[in-house]
Amino acid sequence: MSGIVDIEALRQFRTMNLNSNWLKDLRTEVFRRMYDEPIHPANLWLTDEPVRHAEADEIYRANIRRLVERRAYTPPAHEFPGARYIAPPDPGPTR
């Protein structure tokens, strides 16, 4: 899907809208410790092709583990496998 973005209208919205413009209210300083060290590996696919779903899921799980280890995330009381990629069944030979 694509669309035209009216940059000037966005700029106007940001400077005039007091209620729906949440960006002006962010308290980014509270996240400083969370971002002191990288979370997601930089330039993962700069020279290599992106990996398949299952491999990417492990990268994302490692990112979450890092956030838990840094105490930026508190782990839940009970662990569940969560989202995971399930490959479609092999359709067999094609004619």
Side-chain angles (χ1 to χ4, degrees), residues 53-68 80-85:
H53 282 284
E55 294 170 83
D57 288 353
E58 290 310 310
I59 293 167
Y60 302 144
R61 283 189 181 93
N63 294 349
I64 294 167
R65 267 192 305 277
R66 275 190 280 283
L67 290 167
V68 169
F80 298 96
R84 65 188 186 288
Y85 176 72

Side-chain angles (χ1 to χ4, degrees), residues 8-93:
E8 189 56 31
L10 177 62
R11 291 173 180 156
Q12 192 72 28
F13 173 83
R14 286 179 177 166
T15 58
M16 293 185 66
N17 192 305
L18 301 180
N19 296 316
S20 301
N21 179 10
W22 57 268
L23 194 59
K24 68 176 174 34
D25 302 323
L26 284 180
R27 296 280 315 273
T28 56
E29 66 275 10
V30 300
F31 298 103
R32 184 177 299 133
R33 198 182 95 219
M34 178 191 272
Y35 294 111
D36 276 345
E37 296 177 45
I39 296 167
H40 188 74
N43 302 321
L44 263 183
W45 298 295
L46 187 63
T47 58
D48 297 331
E49 290 291 319
V51 295
R52 310 291 259 155
H53 282 284
E55 294 170 83
D57 288 353
E58 290 310 310
I59 293 167
Y60 302 144
R61 283 189 181 93
N63 294 349
I64 294 167
R65 267 192 305 277
R66 275 190 280 283
L67 290 167
V68 169
E69 289 165 2
R70 295 176 194 175
R71 302 180 72 186
Y73 278 9
T74 300
H78 305 285
E79 287 198 30
F80 298 96
R84 65 188 186 288
Y85 176 72
I86 300 173
D90 185 3

